[in-house]
């Protein structure tokens, strides 16, 4: 079944629905959903970092609700996502620094899912939220609920083949033992997104030696997206939810903002025969050549930091001369 991504103007309402679900202490709220859907090991994964008496499921739900209320909203268009996916392949520094973030707390929706998260059933990551938690940077991955259910429906016959129905029923009863009959009205959230996982990032260079390669690729992609959002090649356009959506948001919480920033790739502007690295008159060239896209460490003396800067591919050398090389150039129509 085809999945339609939310438009930029729908994001504020998506945020409000997610936050209401996360804050709900009832049977259809996030804490209960996590308890039902997580494995026993996952349900205790953050217990050692939380205060006594606070479970991982309730801690995650409370932090998600608080983070969404404070989050700045971003919508990344398809062309910007395509560039981030390409640039991430050569981003080798995995340290995520505070100045890399477009906002301390945020929610980012991809117009097209940039990649799949293999550790969570190969689900396409459509939404990313982040913010501080337990002395770390917490990054959450979300997929579309409809895509998740379609995958479950497709895998169920093979998964259940040869199993004992009585054993399956006993397993379900044990998994949902804390929920009284008839209380679990919705197994999956109604807001259209399924929570996949939270990754905690410590300050300083990350030790990813034991991290799943799929997780590393996803973190690299997220950081590349954040870095590109802060460069001049990206444009930021502000949009607000429509009137009907604003009314629905106000019914959930009057304090929610309704503004979202749309991140687009700026249209390329080129000067004939010019190359960014050339100084006119210093050399006489006999050919043109391809300069591949790459990251360069760019110092910012006023801030006292160094940040990776993406240098887009370009053709160097005067117009009209032969082109040598033959390396692939990342082309992006826009």
């Amino acid at each position: 079944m085809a999945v339609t991504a939310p438009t930029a103007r729908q994001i504020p309402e998506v945020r409000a629905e997610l936050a209401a679900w996360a804050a709900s202490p009832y049977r259809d709220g996030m804490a209960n959903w996590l308890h039902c859907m997580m494995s026993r090991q996952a349900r205790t994964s953050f217990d050692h970092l939380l205060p006594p008496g606070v479970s991982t499921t309730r801690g995650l739900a409370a932090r998600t609700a608080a983070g969404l209320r404070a989050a700045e909203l971003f919508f990344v268009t398809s062309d910007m996502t395509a560039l981030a996916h390409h640039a991430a392949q050569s981003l080798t520094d995995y340290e995520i620094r505070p100045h890399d973030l477009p906002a301390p707390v945020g929610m980012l929706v991809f117009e097209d899912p940039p990649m799949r998260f293999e550790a969570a059933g190969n689900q396409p990551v459509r939404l990313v939220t982040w913010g501080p938690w337990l002395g770390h940077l917490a990054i959450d991955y979300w997929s579309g609920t409809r895509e998740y259910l379609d995958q479950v429906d497709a895998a169920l016959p093979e998964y259940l083949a040869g199993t004992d129905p009585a054993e399956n029923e006993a397993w379900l009863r044990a998994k949902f033992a804390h929920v009284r009959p008839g209380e679990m009205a919705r197994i999956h959230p109604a807001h259209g997104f399924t929570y996949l996982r939270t990754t905690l990032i410590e300050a300083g260079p990350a030790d990813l030696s034991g991290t799943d390669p799929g997780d590393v690729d996803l973190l690299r992609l997220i950081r590349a997206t954040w870095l590109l959002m802060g460069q001049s090649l990206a444009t930021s356009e502000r949009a607000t939810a429509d009137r009907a959506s604003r009314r629905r948001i106000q019914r959930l919480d009057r304090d929610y903002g309704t503004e979202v920033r749309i991140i687009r790739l700026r249209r390329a502007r080129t000067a004939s025969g010019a190359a960014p690295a050339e100084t006119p008159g210093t050399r006489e060239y006999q050919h043109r050549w391809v300069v591949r896209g790459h990251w360069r460490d760019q110092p910012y003396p006023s801030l006292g930091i160094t940040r990776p800067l993406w240098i887009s591919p370009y053709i160097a050398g005067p117009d009209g001369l032969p082109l040598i090389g033959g390396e692939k150039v990342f082309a992006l129509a826009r």
Side-chain angles (χ1 to χ4, degrees), residues 275 277-283:
E278 292 182 32
T279 302
T282 57
R283 288 189 63 181

Side-chain angles (χ1 to χ4, degrees), residues 6 35 79 146 162 211 223 241 297 305:
H35 186 97
D79 54 0
R146 184 66 261 167
T211 305
R223 186 178 182 229
D297 286 337
I305 62 173

Side-chain angles (χ1 to χ4, degrees), residues 31 108 299:
L108 185 152

Side-chain angles (χ1 to χ4, degrees), residues 210-272:
T211 305
D212 182 272
D215 285 13
V216 174
D217 289 343
L218 189 53
L219 286 171
R220 183 191 297 165
L221 174 66
I222 292 169
R223 186 178 182 229
T225 303
W226 287 339
L227 289 169
L228 293 171
M229 287 168 62
Q231 294 189 202
S232 59
L233 55 79
T235 66
S236 178
E237 169 191 337
R238 295 185 182 273
T240 59
D242 58 37
R243 180 178 296 179
S245 183
R246 290 199 300 270
R247 287 175 177 172
R248 290 190 292 269
I249 293 171
Q250 292 296 303
R251 285 197 290 268
L252 289 171
D253 194 318
R254 290 184 176 275
D255 293 332
Y256 282 128
T258 60
E259 188 176 84
V260 59
R261 288 169 56 187
I262 305 174
I263 309 301
R264 304 182 189 276
L265 185 63
R266 188 186 302 275
R267 291 186 176 276
R269 292 180 296 177
T270 58
S272 178

Side-chain angles (χ1 to χ4, degrees), residues 68-155:
L68 285 167
R69 289 178 64 87
E72 292 190 36
L73 308 181
F74 302 90
F75 180 82
V76 178
T77 59
S78 299
D79 54 0
M80 194 68 196
T81 303
L83 175 59
H85 204 299
H86 170 75
Q89 298 174 26
S90 57
L91 183 61
T92 56
D93 178 8
Y94 299 115
E95 181 180 357
I96 297 178
R97 306 175 182 90
H99 54 261
D100 291 343
L101 307 179
V105 184
M107 183 176 100
L108 185 152
V109 178
F110 294 100
E111 184 175 24
D112 290 328
M115 67 183 303
R116 294 179 179 272
F117 184 35
E118 296 179 2
N122 204 31
Q123 290 299 302
V125 175
R126 290 191 172 273
L127 190 154
V128 175
T129 55
W130 69 90
W133 191 45
L134 305 175
H136 299 69
L137 171 66
I139 303 176
D140 314 302
Y141 314 138
W142 306 73
S143 72
T145 299
R146 184 66 261 167
E147 291 164 313
Y148 174 79
L149 293 177
D150 286 346
Q151 186 183 60
V152 170
D153 289 343

